[in-house]
Amino acid sequence: MLKEIKSAVQLLVHILSINNAISKSRLEKFSECLEKLLCLRYEAHWHPQKPFLGSAYRCIRITHSLMDTVIEKAAIMSGLSYAELNKSLPQEFTLWIDPSDVSYRIGEDGSICCLYSSTAEEAPSPTVTNTVTITNQSCQSEVPKPLSRNGNSFTKCLS
């Protein structure tokens, strides 16, 4: 669960950092808070043997009029304002955090991009740390390119 949550949080922090309006220290605090909140939120809703069970509960959704409460709470805990979030995050964004899979979509009609994917057979040992490198290009402008790192299959949509 932790590697999926870390991948998702890293993506959100990257998006928030693009316009350089939020300091690195505040982004780090937001990252820590969001990671802890998501771990607590998903604790009883994480089913590796049935990854679709609880999927709707684990979905993070942002629309032009709605910000997911877990993002709002992490922002408050880290001193970020709603205005800072609203200015930096896409107006339409969906993030699915499921066992062995993290996917997202920017825009209602955007492509669904796989951020992190791993199968039980490919799962790394607990001592291996996986990170996903994300850059500034939009997922909607290119077809995802598969990467292989530490036995896991990653697709970089923001390469």
Side-chain angles (χ1 to χ4, degrees), residues 56-67:
Y57 182 80
R58 293 186 304 270
C59 177
I60 294 175
R61 186 83 175 99
I62 299 170
T63 68
H64 62 282
S65 61
L66 177 71
M67 181 77 63

Side-chain angles (χ1 to χ4, degrees), residues 2-3 6 122-130 150 152:
L2 190 56
K3 61 186 174 274
K6 284 182 178 286
E122 295 174 335
S125 67
T127 59
V128 176
T129 302
N130 294 313
N150 295 331
N152 290 311

Side-chain angles (χ1 to χ4, degrees), residues 30-41:
F30 175 78
S31 176
E32 291 170 14
C33 293
L34 185 57
E35 187 177 309
K36 288 177 186 175
L37 288 171
L38 288 173
C39 284
L40 289 172
R41 181 179 183 178

Side-chain angles (χ1 to χ4, degrees), residues 26-155:
R26 291 171 67 211
L27 287 172
E28 287 172 359
K29 180 69 175 167
F30 175 78
S31 176
E32 291 170 14
C33 293
L34 185 57
E35 187 177 309
K36 288 177 186 175
L37 288 171
L38 288 173
C39 284
L40 289 172
R41 181 179 183 178
Y42 296 165
E43 191 172 44
H45 300 274
W46 197 260
H47 311 282
Q49 304 309 321
K50 297 179 183 179
F52 294 115
L53 182 63
S55 184
Y57 182 80
R58 293 186 304 270
C59 177
I60 294 175
R61 186 83 175 99
I62 299 170
T63 68
H64 62 282
S65 61
L66 177 71
M67 181 77 63
D68 194 287
T69 56
V70 74
I71 293 176
E72 285 183 356
K73 192 170 186 176
I76 291 167
M77 291 170 65
S78 59
L80 296 178
S81 70
Y82 184 83
E84 288 173 305
L85 289 179
N86 201 34
K87 178 182 173 187
S88 300
L89 291 172
Q91 292 300 303
E92 294 288 338
F93 182 76
T94 307
L95 180 62
W96 295 275
I97 305 170
D98 295 317
S100 301
D101 185 76
V102 179
S103 299
Y104 66 96
R105 180 181 64 209
I106 298 173
E108 276 303 302
D109 299 320
S111 299
I112 295 175
C113 298
C114 181
L115 180 65
Y116 174 86
S117 181
S118 174
T119 62
E121 298 87 41
E122 295 174 335
S125 67
T127 59
V128 176
T129 302
N130 294 313
T131 58
V132 178
T133 303
I134 302 168
T135 59
N136 294 336
Q137 193 175 16
S138 169
C139 169
Q140 295 173 331
S141 67
E142 74 173 309
V143 176
K145 298 172 187 157
L147 294 177
S148 178
R149 188 181 296 170
N150 295 331
N152 290 311
S153 173
F154 290 96
T155 301

